[in-house]
Amino acid sequence: MFSSETTIRVRYGETDKMGYLYYGHYPEYFEVSRTDMIRQFGLTYRKIEEGGIIMPVRSLKVDYKTPAYYDELLIVRSILKTLPLVKLDIDYEILNEKNQLVCTGNTVLAFVDALTGKPRRAPEFFIMAIKKYFP
């Protein structure tokens, strides 16, 4: 299992009239955290795409627990439980400054050949970058 954390401060423009973080921004926060996690593996989406792979989101789940508010500093945790051989399945947790669970979530991304548009296994360079984190 591999876990990484990213901090994000809720901006005023991301809140609704009640002062809550608008529900549609949570998946964006997942993406920021996921991108940071991939960087920790020594990769970037640009490098992955240059390797002929695109990674569309196949599914998204969000389970809201308690609101996040303007100016709160949130911890967004990305958790990779298994080595991604055919899909990238990531769990998320968002915690507020009081260490309360704000929400949980999950995304599943597919590995797709950029030229053919067909699903494929994870490329070897991707597996090698991540494999060292999975005994």
Side-chain angles (χ1 to χ4, degrees), residues 31 42 46 71 78-80 100 106 112 119 121 124 133:
E31 182 180 9
R46 181 178 303 214
D71 206 36
S78 292
I79 305 158
L80 190 59
Q100 295 171 313
N106 175 272
V112 174
R121 291 179 63 80
E124 190 64 26
Y133 298 99

Side-chain angles (χ1 to χ4, degrees), residues 38 41 43 47-49 51-56 58 80 82-89 108-114 118-131 134:
I38 288 172
F41 296 137
L43 298 170
K47 285 181 186 177
I48 294 166
E49 290 174 355
I53 304 297
I54 55 175
M55 297 172 57
R58 222 178 74 193
L80 190 59
T82 59
L83 183 65
L85 300 175
V86 295
K87 63 184 177 182
L88 185 58
D89 188 339
V108 176
L109 286 78
F111 295 100
V112 174
D113 184 291
K118 300 210 183 274
R120 57 158 290 168
R121 291 179 63 80
E124 190 64 26
F125 71 87
F126 190 92
I127 293 170
M128 294 309 295
I130 296 173
K131 198 172 192 172
F134 291 87

Side-chain angles (χ1 to χ4, degrees), residues 22-121:
Y22 179 69
Y23 78 94
H25 288 293
Y26 289 85
E28 293 175 8
Y29 286 13
F30 294 168
E31 182 180 9
V32 171
S33 181
R34 180 174 64 244
T35 301
D36 286 349
M37 180 183 69
I38 288 172
R39 285 185 184 281
Q40 289 182 18
F41 296 137
L43 298 170
T44 63
Y45 273 109
R46 181 178 303 214
K47 285 181 186 177
I48 294 166
E49 290 174 355
E50 287 171 354
I53 304 297
I54 55 175
M55 297 172 57
V57 173
R58 222 178 74 193
S59 67
L60 164 68
K61 180 182 181 214
V62 184
D63 187 10
Y64 304 98
K65 307 290 185 185
T66 191
Y69 299 95
Y70 166 66
D71 206 36
E72 274 191 311
L73 188 61
L74 304 177
I75 296 171
V76 185
R77 186 175 295 140
S78 292
I79 305 158
L80 190 59
K81 293 180 180 173
T82 59
L83 183 65
L85 300 175
V86 295
K87 63 184 177 182
L88 185 58
D89 188 339
I90 304 170
D91 291 322
Y92 304 93
E93 297 174 345
I94 298 181
L95 298 113
N96 63 19
E97 294 171 348
K98 297 174 187 170
N99 208 33
Q100 295 171 313
L101 188 61
V102 172
C103 82
T104 60
N106 175 272
T107 57
V108 176
L109 286 78
F111 295 100
V112 174
D113 184 291
L115 295 177
T116 67
K118 300 210 183 274
R120 57 158 290 168
R121 291 179 63 80

Side-chain angles (χ1 to χ4, degrees), residues 9-15 19-21 68-73:
R9 187 169 299 279
V10 178
R11 295 172 295 221
Y12 185 77
E14 295 172 327
T15 62
Y20 296 173
L21 174 62
Y69 299 95
Y70 166 66
D71 206 36
E72 274 191 311
L73 188 61

